[in-house]
């Protein structure tokens, strides 16, 4: 099998009368300029040699093309651009077969769609995740996908960016054949089968599925997804591009696609979401540890505490196939905890996101026990008990005496000092914080809290485990609240003071929701529980929160908190709460006044940026983009704004400083400027560019 040509990452081999075109462009065969040039050269070679009767396009390494090369974005385009490449493939006069393994994503799926046929291995995945980058498939994907897979599937895939499996792809007509075993061999055999079939099946010319589309599908789809797409620009433009595929022939529709793509590509949201794509991956890199640090082996996990957090944490490991020994103090607490875990799994299964076998498999590797010593051979133990330092120190002291050497001892504490906890053991180098966010089996964020003595391999192990349990992990330093909750504090302090000064819970929440947050500070308090951290003494009323808790207004779970709730938990402003606020303001002699939305932004969002700058200057986060990853994944910061620090750069740090200066007097001693923020603003620098 002689190598006929090599154009950069693309090589071609002759197999009989089939030309096999191979891309070898690690790590994910991104469709960079050299790959695009090589693909066009390969098609020209096929056209120019009448001995070649068919073409197979395949990739070496982990995956078929995973999309355009995102690192090229924002740089001057290098020809040929992808639309030209895909049209060259489709216009080849000989059948082109795409041989797919791994993840055919974005431009990769567009290359496959432009090919006349597609064969795939059973575990191949397909998707058009451009919407996650604030874009749309810009190389004919919005025009070919509806023609091949149908309009509804195209709408789902382009606006969610979610991957689908090979079977689903085959059932919708996206894949012609699923092949077991040697993919290249099967693809060549398939090419031999179809080599003389004419006319060639061109996706861009298929009209049956777009003509069959129900005209009302677009309005229904928009209505059904309005909440999910709120604030985002890309989903709507994906829908418009698919609408063009229905309304117009390919040659015209693709012009609409190009226009819509450029509108997105040049917009702020795409820049923010592309920044975030790399920010998320950069968070996995741990600074100041030896490059070759190896992870410890973790085959068995122990969890102490079967409450909401302990149960949720356990589920993450069980779902990844890692056995968990869960310890409680009483049989009743243990049974309740494991019962909740099973109920959560069954709820997931009822939504079709898990099979009942998977539920039994997960629950089957859970070992509930009252015996603390059962933890002794665990490789990682995560303490998830009451947020009280003395209790945690006592537990870590017991762990130190009980568990094998080399085990990692982790606390799920959300505020407390990991170094102090570590000091209650003889092995502080094995102690780390693993701060999960509630509900722990759902929220993707994990803060890995690096103690002063935490060993490098403990951090590397934690980071590797995070990926295995599908979490996005960020390394945080030891300070009160680490990264996320620490930035939450100035927001909560100022939001509460604004209530006394004249704002209402619904005004403050509205400002945050309009900004793009899923909910505002008071809606969040009602959801999480107004009573979290309350001293539980109804006679001790020192602030608005005490006053609400004292009359059982603990939030949604009590049907009342900062808001009143109906039986379907729909919130309405509460005159009782308003009266409590006004009484408090009077008692404290606070002069109430009209509060502008802008003041709310400056005192709750700008102060978060200031706190983020302090976290950076104290070395409590490795980089500004890590702070953004925490807030997008931990609190729902709108990813189309990139995260607090990226957003601050977009606003301009001088604007942030000016706003804070306007509010400095009102904020009083609760506020002090970050020196780093002032210096960067002064020098016209940014945090994230
Ligand atoms: N371009 C450049 N680099 C990429 C890349 C891409 N498309 N995808 C991944 N990488 C890098 C990534 O930064 C990391 O680098 C390494 O590869 C491993 O990635 C016209 C315009 C494919 C599922 O959005 O979803 O096509 O940190 O850690 O967990 O319509 O990467 O090692 O230096 O994520 O195994 C559309 C994005 C582009 C796919 C693999 N495609 N990538 O996951 O590895 S836009 C995407 C992924 C487009 C056209 C439009 C995942 C993956 P480093 P990783 P992984």
């Amino acid at each position: 099998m002689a190598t006929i040509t090599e154009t950069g990452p693309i090589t071609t081999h002759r197999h009989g009368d089939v030309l096999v075109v191979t891309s070898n462009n690690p790590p994910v065969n991104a469709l960079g300029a050299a790959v695009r040039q090589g693909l066009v050269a390969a098609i020209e070679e096929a056209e120019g040699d009448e001995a070649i009767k068919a073409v197979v396009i395949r990739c070496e390494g982990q995956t078929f093309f995973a999309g355009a090369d995102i690192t090229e974005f924002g740089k001057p385009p290098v020809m040929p651009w992808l639309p030209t490449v895909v049209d060259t493939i489709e216009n080849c006069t000989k059948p082109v077969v795409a041989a797919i393994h791994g993840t055919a994503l974005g431009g990769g799926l567009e290359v496959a769609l432009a090919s006349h046929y597609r064969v795939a291995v059973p575990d191949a995945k397909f998707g058009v995740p451009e919407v996650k980058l604030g874009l749309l498939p810009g190389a004919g994907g919005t025009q070919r996908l509806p023609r091949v897979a149908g309009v509804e599937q195209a709408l789902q895939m382009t606006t969610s960016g979610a991957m689908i499996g090979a079977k689903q792809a085959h059932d919708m007509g996206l894949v012609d054949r699923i092949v077991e075993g040697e993919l290249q061999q099967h693809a060549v055999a398939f090419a031999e089968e179809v080599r003389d079939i004419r006319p060639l099946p061109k996706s861009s010319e298929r009209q049956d599925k777009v003509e069959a589309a129900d005209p009302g599908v677009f309005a229904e789809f928009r209505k059904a997804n309005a909440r999910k797409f709120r604030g985002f620009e890309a989903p709507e433009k994906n829908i418009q591009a698919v609408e063009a595929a229905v309304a117009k022939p390919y040659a015209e529709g693709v012009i609409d696609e190009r226009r819509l793509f450029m509108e997105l590509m040049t917009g702020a949201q795409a820049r923010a979401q592309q920044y975030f794509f790399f920010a998320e991956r950069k968070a996995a890199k741990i600074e100041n540890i030896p490059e070759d640090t190896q992870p410890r082996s973790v085959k068995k996990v122990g969890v102490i505490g079967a409450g909401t957090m302990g149960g949720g944490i356990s589920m993450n490991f069980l779902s990844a196939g890692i056995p968990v020994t869960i310890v409680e103090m009483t049989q009743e607490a243990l049974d309740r905890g494991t019962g909740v875990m099973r109920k959560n799994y069954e709820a997931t299964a009822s939504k079709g996101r898990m099979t009942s076998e998977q539920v039994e498999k997960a629950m089957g590797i859970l070992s509930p026990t009252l015996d603390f010593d059962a933890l002794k051979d665990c490789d990682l133990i995560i303490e998830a008990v009451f947020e009280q330092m003395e209790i945690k120190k006592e537990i870590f002291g017991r762990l130190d005496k009980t568990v094998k050497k080399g085990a990692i001892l982790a606390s799920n504490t959300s505020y407390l000092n990991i170094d102090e906890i570590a000091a209650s053991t003889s092995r502080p180098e094995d102690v780390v914080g693993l701060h999960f966010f509630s509900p722990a089996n759902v929220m993707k964020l994990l803060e890995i809290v690096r103690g002063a003595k935490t060993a490098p391999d403990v951090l590397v192990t934690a980071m590797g485990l995070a990926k295995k349990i599908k979490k996005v992990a960020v390394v945080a330093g030891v300070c009160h609240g680490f990264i996320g909750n620490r930035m939450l504090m100035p927001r909560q302090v100022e939001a509460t003071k604004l209530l006394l000064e004249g704002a209402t819970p619904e005004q403050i929440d509205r400002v945050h929701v309009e900004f793009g947050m899923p909910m505002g500070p008071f809606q969040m308090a009602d959801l999480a529980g107004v009573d979290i951290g309350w001293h539980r003494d109804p006679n001790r009323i020192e602030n608005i929160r005490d006053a609400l808790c004292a009359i059982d207004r603990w939030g949604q779970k009590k049907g009342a908190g900062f808001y009143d709730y109906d039986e379907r938990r729909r919130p309405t402003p509460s005159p009782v709460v308003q009266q409590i606020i006004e009484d408090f303001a009077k008692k404290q002699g606070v002069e109430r006044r009209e509060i502008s939305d802008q003041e709310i932004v400056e005192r709750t969002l700008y102060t978060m940026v200031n706190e983020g700058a302090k976290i950076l200057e104290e070395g409590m986060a490795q980089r500004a983009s890590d702070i953004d990853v925490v807030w997008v994944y931990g609190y729902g910061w709108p990813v189309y704004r990139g995260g607090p620090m990226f957003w601050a750069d977009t606003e301009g740090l001088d604007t942030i400083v000016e706003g804070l200066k306007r509010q400095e007097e009102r904020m009083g001693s609760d506020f002090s400027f970050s020196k780093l923020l002032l210096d960067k603003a002064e020098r016209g620098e940014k945090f994230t560019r």
Side-chain angles (χ1 to χ4, degrees):
M1 181 175 68
T3 296
I4 298 183
T5 55
E6 190 150 338
T7 316
I10 299 288
T11 53
T12 62
H13 300 82
R14 183 80 65 80
H15 283 256
D17 47 20
V18 175
L19 184 71
V20 175
V21 180
T22 299
S23 168
N24 187 6
N25 188 32
V28 296
N29 282 300
L31 287 151
V35 172
R36 300 195 301 273
Q37 287 154 6
L39 286 173
V40 169
I43 298 296
E44 283 164 357
E45 180 188 336
E47 293 287 48
D49 181 341
E50 52 90 20
I52 294 170
K53 303 298 182 199
V55 178
V56 165
I57 296 179
R58 60 179 290 274
C59 290
E60 292 287 355
Q62 82 173 49
T63 178
F64 190 75
F65 307 107
D69 184 340
I70 307 175
T71 61
E72 286 183 349
F73 289 177
K75 294 174 187 160
V78 175
M79 292 301 138
W81 63 352
L82 204 52
T84 304
V85 175
V86 297
D87 286 346
T88 303
I89 292 170
E90 188 175 71
N91 294 329
C92 180
T93 59
K94 300 165 186 181
V96 178
V97 178
I100 299 164
H101 74 292
T103 51
L105 298 175
L109 184 53
E110 291 173 300
V111 164
L113 281 163
S115 303
H116 305 110
Y117 300 96
R118 289 157 290 281
V119 299
V121 293
D123 64 353
K125 290 188 172 54
F126 303 76
V128 276
E130 287 87 338
V131 69
K132 292 181 182 174
L133 299 170
L135 298 172
L136 54 78
T142 65
Q143 306 303 301
R144 289 190 170 92
L145 190 57
R147 286 180 164 85
V148 173
V151 169
E152 289 194 29
Q153 291 295 351
L155 285 173
Q156 277 301 342
M157 290 177 71
T158 55
T159 57
S160 69
M163 292 191 214
I164 61 171
K167 175 150 182 355
Q168 192 182 351
H170 179 266
D171 293 347
M172 68 174 69
L174 192 50
V175 165
D176 298 290
R177 183 178 296 173
I178 294 179
V179 295
E180 302 269 358
E182 226 301 295
L183 175 57
Q184 177 175 313
Q185 209 174 318
H186 284 290
V188 169
F190 186 94
E192 289 291 2
E193 278 176 49
V194 300
R195 47 174 279 186
D196 300 323
I197 295 175
R198 295 297 183 278
L200 292 170
K202 294 186 174 185
S203 312
S204 62
E205 291 173 359
R206 286 189 55 178
Q207 289 302 109
D208 53 316
K209 292 196 174 182
V210 287
E211 283 163 3
D214 162 9
V217 67
F218 296 104
E220 282 158 31
F221 188 76
R222 284 188 170 99
K223 188 157 171 279
N225 292 285
R227 191 179 167 77
K228 192 166 76 167
F229 298 162
R230 181 173 65 89
F232 285 91
E233 290 164 5
E236 172 53 30
K237 290 189 189 299
N238 273 277
I239 297 171
Q240 288 173 22
V242 175
E243 278 178 314
V246 171
K248 301 176 180 178
Y250 173 79
E252 291 171 33
V254 80
I255 292 168
D256 285 15
E257 174 188 277
R258 177 56 40 197
R259 169 179 55 78
L260 292 163
F261 179 86
M262 290 316 291
E263 285 169 10
L264 288 171
M265 184 56 117
T266 53
Q269 292 199 0
R271 262 197 305 283
Q273 292 180 241
Q274 288 154 31
Y275 153 81
F276 192 77
F277 173 87
F278 291 109
E280 178 179 342
R281 284 155 180 78
K282 211 183 298 176
K285 298 183 176 22
I286 305 170
E287 309 290 346
N288 309 325
I289 60 169
E291 269 296 303
D292 58 353
T293 304
Q294 292 307 308
R296 298 185 191 176
S297 157
V298 176
K299 299 230 176 320
K300 195 172 168 196
V301 171
V303 173
I304 305 173
T308 310
M309 289 309 285
I313 290 168
S314 301
M315 291 176 70
N316 292 314
F317 293 96
L318 297 173
S319 303
I322 301 174
V324 172
T325 297
I326 189 164
V327 176
E328 251 298 353
M329 308 266 280
T330 66
Q331 193 59 46
E332 190 264 337
L334 193 58
D335 294 345
R336 186 174 58 242
T338 52
V340 167
M341 292 164 72
R342 172 171 287 282
K343 198 162 61 65
N344 287 339
Y345 273 132
E346 283 167 357
T348 305
S350 67
K351 291 177 198 138
R353 291 209 300 266
M354 262 181 110
T355 63
S356 47
E357 293 74 27
Q358 285 170 322
V359 172
E360 294 316 320
K361 189 157 171 283
M363 293 303 288
I365 53 174
L366 174 67
S367 310
T369 176
L370 302 177
D371 175 12
F372 195 90
D373 290 350
L375 296 168
K376 63 179 180 302
D377 61 347
C378 289
D379 306 300
L380 162 68
I381 297 94
I382 303 172
E383 164 274 314
V385 301
F386 195 62
E387 194 72 346
Q388 216 274 346
M389 182 54 91
E390 286 323 304
I391 297 176
K392 292 188 188 299
K393 287 165 102 171
E394 192 269 328
I395 283 177
F396 274 75
R398 278 184 74 186
L399 281 174
D400 193 23
K401 295 185 180 66
T402 309
V403 306
K404 67 183 182 185
K405 288 285 163 258
I408 294 174
L409 313 181
S411 171
N412 171 55
T413 180
S414 42
Y415 281 91
L416 301 176
N417 185 312
I418 288 292
D419 293 331
E420 203 178 322
I421 293 172
S424 61
T425 74
S426 63
R427 42 176 137 173
E429 66 284 354
D430 294 337
V431 177
V432 69
L434 291 181
H435 177 216
F436 290 84
F437 282 67
S438 182
N441 53 310
V442 173
M443 295 300 283
K444 281 181 75 88
L445 178 66
L446 172 65
E447 282 180 330
I448 297 175
V449 186
R450 179 177 193 167
K453 296 183 177 153
T454 303
D457 66 341
V458 168
L459 295 168
V460 167
T461 308
M463 193 55 83
L465 269 179
K467 183 151 185 161
K468 191 168 170 60
I469 64 174
K470 297 191 173 55
K471 296 296 179 190
V472 176
V474 173
V475 175
V478 177
C479 61
H480 191 70
F482 314 132
I483 297 174
N485 285 345
R486 174 166 166 181
M487 288 169 71
L488 205 52
M489 286 186 277
R491 185 183 88 161
Q492 298 305 94
V493 165
E494 291 307 316
T496 305
K497 285 157 66 176
L498 282 161
L499 288 186
L500 291 175
E501 295 172 33
T504 60
E506 48 277 11
Q507 179 191 7
I508 294 169
D509 286 344
R510 172 181 54 74
V511 167
H512 281 243
V513 170
E514 283 173 357
F515 178 80
M517 297 299 287
M519 61 182 79
F522 300 105
Q523 290 162 315
M524 188 167 141
D526 277 359
L527 178 68
V530 182
D531 61 316
I532 288 184
W534 178 47
H535 47 63
R536 309 270 152 203
D537 175 359
N539 301 313
R540 194 175 120 207
I541 297 180
E542 292 160 357
N543 53 45
I544 293 171
R545 195 270 298 276
D546 289 352
L548 296 188
C549 289
I551 55 173
D552 237 17
R553 294 185 75 98
W554 295 7
Q556 285 192 24
K557 61 191 172 188
K558 294 273 190 174
F562 283 95
Y563 295 88
D564 292 331
Y565 292 90
D566 66 14
E567 65 294 337
R568 289 174 55 197
R569 293 204 168 194
R570 283 178 306 199
T572 46
S574 161
V576 169
V577 172
Q578 199 49 37
Q579 193 53 56
I580 288 172
I581 292 168
E582 286 167 16
D583 292 350
F584 246 104
K586 202 178 297 163
K587 204 163 34 175
Q588 294 187 8
V590 175
E591 192 60 37
R592 288 173 70 76
R593 59 190 166 85
E594 189 70 26
I595 307 273
S596 69
D597 288 358
Q598 180 56 23
E599 177 174 345
I600 293 171
V601 168
E602 291 168 357
R603 288 180 61 177
T604 59
L605 295 176
Y606 284 19
T607 46
M608 278 173 54
V609 170
N610 184 66
E611 197 64 31
K614 287 184 175 178
I615 286 168
L616 272 178
E617 67 196 16
E618 294 167 21
M620 294 296 123
Q622 297 188 111
R623 50 188 83 86
S625 58
D626 282 6
I627 295 172
D628 290 341
V629 172
V630 165
W631 267 84
V632 167
Y633 277 117
Y635 304 84
W637 182 282
V639 70
Y640 58 78
R641 293 183 188 272
M645 309 312 274
F646 183 91
W647 170 69
D649 287 337
T650 310
E651 291 289 288
L653 298 189
D654 50 352
T655 304
I656 301 289
V657 169
E658 275 155 37
L660 289 170
K661 282 186 173 158
R662 265 197 297 278
Q663 306 303 336
E664 201 173 3
E665 198 182 323
R666 289 186 179 125
M667 296 194 283
S669 60
D670 291 321
F671 175 81
S672 63
F673 265 109
S674 148
K675 190 176 173 318
L676 178 66
L677 172 62
L678 291 171
D679 290 352
K680 279 190 172 290
E682 180 68 32
R683 294 197 298 264
E685 289 176 2
K686 294 184 179 303
F687 284 117
T688 61
R689 270 66 149 195

